[in-house]
Amino acid sequence: MNHIRNFCIIAHIDHGKSTLADRLLEFTKTIQVTEGQMLDDMDLERERGITIKSHAIQMEYDYGKADNTRAEAGKYILNLIDTPGHVDFSYEVSRSIAACEGALLVVDATQGVQAQTISNLYMAIDNDLEIIPVINKIDMPSAMPDEVEDEIVELLGCKREEIIRASGKTGEGVQQILDAVVERIPHPEGDETAPLQALIFDSVFNSFRGIIAYFKVLNGTIRQGDKVKFFNTGMEYVADEVGVLKMDMVPRKELRTGDVGYIISGIKDSKEVKVGDTITHVQRPCDAAIEGFQEVKPMVFAGVYPIDPTDYENLRASLEKLQLNDASLTFTPESSVALGFGFRCGFLGLLHMEIVQERLDREFNMDVITTVPNVSYMCYDKQGGEKEVHNPSGLPDQTLIDHIEEPYIKASIITTTDFIGPIMTLCLDKRGELIDQQFVSGNRVEIHFYLPLGEIVIDFYDKLKSISKGYASFDYYIDSFRPSKLVKLDILLNGEPVDALSTLTHQDNAVTFGRRMCEKLKELIPRQQFDIAIQAAIGAKIIARETIKQVRKDVTAKCYGGDVSRKRKLLEKQKRGKKRMKQIGNVEVPQKAFLAVLKLD
């Protein structure tokens, strides 16, 4: 156990975590690196150049004893977890941190400390991890290692000589990093003779072997063929195979305290494996489950519906398999008059939502429609009861509502002083409220805002990036619920409400949003043989209206000359027919109308 080190790499997005991991794997001769970012094994990760999943891998390092170090010379087993940097995948980072004793904090020498760097660092400090600061990309012409070193010293309060300068591209500083991991990160603590306690920190679905759970042994030993039990679900299994994670899975006879590995026990049902659960023996169980990590809190909700209604069960199975691999995805069944049966899914952000949609398409061949994203609100009625509302159709009648509260976030934006003006304007336009601003170092400033979550879920991040030319970094966490003037905006077609098009919006934006919605639908809904009235309404009050004119046949064409009463008689007959048609006719809303509403912003 003294020769095991478990550590993860944390950093802001695009600071070179995966490239540095490649160099570590190459230096320890774990694998032959044939292309960039070997641990990013998903096509989607390669295409976008981002890490979506955290990846665990085991390395062996021959440590030669240097002078006055705490560690003894010999072979060390290093379990590395490479984590994502984007704020939408921070749950992956928190799970990786729970399985480690130390972390490499990687900072880009050209960009310095950014919002997600600070956020991930605090997460690691809360878990009492040993932090090793690394400045990456020092080979770049625009690198500023001395300034970045100042920022790190200010942030961590460490000594300058503790900061390692490295380059994931050239491999410079890799040996110092590995030595520092052995010397500074403590070995796992635990008792090999105690009852088995292992923490599940991830799982994947394999169509041949069932569900594979990744775990870290905190106490005891697990052997192949042992009868094990999952503590929280109470299910019992036989450990058909246990082993360690290299580029592929490598079977082992046993895993001891401090080891990180996988277990295959022929589990078929995804509900039986919960990330954060504890594995123990059936014969000699442990007394209590390991304190796992917090339950994930979705930030954005959207309805996901199959394009073909007969695919509903397939979509459920696909979401369950995806949830194993992405524990931050939550879903519950819901139905809509316009779209049929589907699921209300909770995501950590818009990028997460986009990635889930892509993965459903690529990995499970599921074509889905995603409704307009929104957040959850607390609705209080006049009797004092409260209800959590995820979509507008769940809102009680306007006359019964006392008030609605919406979630507010505390946002931290780090940028250079050149962009303070436009960023302030953007946040204030989104009903934001400035808390304070602090200079981090040089010309970099950190601004804190309170913002309504509903205002930032659609396009805030994109706008922030474009006005700051990509230099602003953004991080946030839920702060509190506050009363707000929210109204339910209904869209009526010939007096009939269309539930999939209704939205919750702020009172000040309702009229302009309703008007734009009506204009857009007028372009998209095909003409019928009767007038179609498109109306936007708040409760019983109509705030906007457009009319799609009917398609008319000229019934008087055959009357040339003669008495005018003949023409009037034909027109009256047509008028009665149109009136009857309007009563029994229904309006088909085309699919692209739902999608166009999403793109209104």
Side-chain angles (χ1 to χ4, degrees), residues 4 36 103 262 353 493:
I4 296 175
Y262 69 91
M353 177 172 135
L493 294 180

Side-chain angles (χ1 to χ4, degrees), residues 103-349:
L104 295 183
L105 179 74
V106 178
V107 181
D108 188 333
T110 62
Q111 294 179 42
V113 171
Q114 292 193 287
Q116 200 59 31
T117 315
I118 298 172
S119 163
N120 288 339
L121 171 69
Y122 287 156
M123 220 189 288
I125 290 173
D126 288 346
N127 281 282
D128 295 333
L129 263 61
E130 180 66 39
I131 309 290
I132 299 175
V134 177
I135 298 179
N136 193 20
K137 304 192 186 180
I138 57 162
D139 59 308
M140 300 279 277
S142 56
M144 323 168 283
D146 295 334
E147 289 92 323
V148 175
E149 219 166 70
D150 293 341
E151 288 180 22
I152 294 175
V153 169
E154 206 170 307
L155 181 68
L156 278 174
C158 61
K159 299 192 183 85
R160 281 181 177 278
E161 53 271 21
E162 289 177 8
I163 302 170
I164 300 168
R165 295 189 180 190
S167 163
K169 199 172 183 183
T170 63
E172 189 182 334
V174 168
Q175 183 162 3
Q176 287 96 299
I177 292 173
L178 289 164
D179 286 348
V181 166
V182 172
E183 290 158 18
R184 295 193 218 167
I185 293 177
H187 60 76
E189 299 287 338
D191 182 358
E192 286 198 6
T193 57
L196 172 68
Q197 258 189 328
L199 173 74
I200 299 177
F201 65 88
D202 206 353
S203 55
V204 289
F205 180 79
N206 182 308
S207 45
F208 299 107
R209 313 203 62 180
I211 292 158
I212 303 167
Y214 296 164
F215 63 89
K216 177 192 176 188
V217 186
L218 295 192
N219 287 310
T221 307
I222 182 168
R223 294 178 181 83
Q224 187 180 348
D226 280 356
K227 286 195 95 175
V228 295
K229 163 170 115 169
F230 286 17
F231 206 90
N232 291 339
T233 56
M235 307 297 283
E236 297 182 3
Y237 307 100
V238 173
D240 296 334
E241 187 182 300
V242 293
V244 296
L245 297 153
K246 296 275 178 116
M247 264 328 255
D248 298 315
M249 294 181 290
V250 182
R252 291 272 191 272
K253 287 277 180 247
E254 64 173 22
L255 292 178
R256 299 171 159 214
T257 304
D259 281 332
V260 173
Y262 69 91
I263 178 169
I264 299 175
S265 47
I267 308 168
K268 293 285 181 281
D269 190 356
S270 56
K271 292 188 190 71
E272 294 174 21
V273 178
K274 281 196 169 52
V275 167
D277 202 349
T278 304
I279 304 175
T280 187
H281 280 133
V282 174
Q283 261 81 32
R284 193 173 157 224
C286 56
D287 303 330
I290 301 162
E291 289 294 318
F293 7 91
Q294 335 84 325
E295 277 294 301
V296 60
K297 295 187 194 74
M299 300 282 187
V300 180
F301 293 90
V304 173
Y305 293 87
I307 283 180
D308 180 356
T310 56
D311 279 342
Y312 175 71
E313 282 305 325
N314 295 348
L315 179 60
R316 183 200 292 275
S318 306
L319 282 169
E320 281 176 357
K321 287 173 189 170
L322 192 54
Q323 195 179 31
L324 277 174
N325 200 235
D326 180 356
S328 50
L329 170 68
T330 58
F331 63 93
T332 50
E334 73 163 5
S335 63
S336 144
V337 178
L339 299 168
F341 291 102
F343 296 92
R344 183 118 212 110
C345 295
F347 306 99
L348 292 185

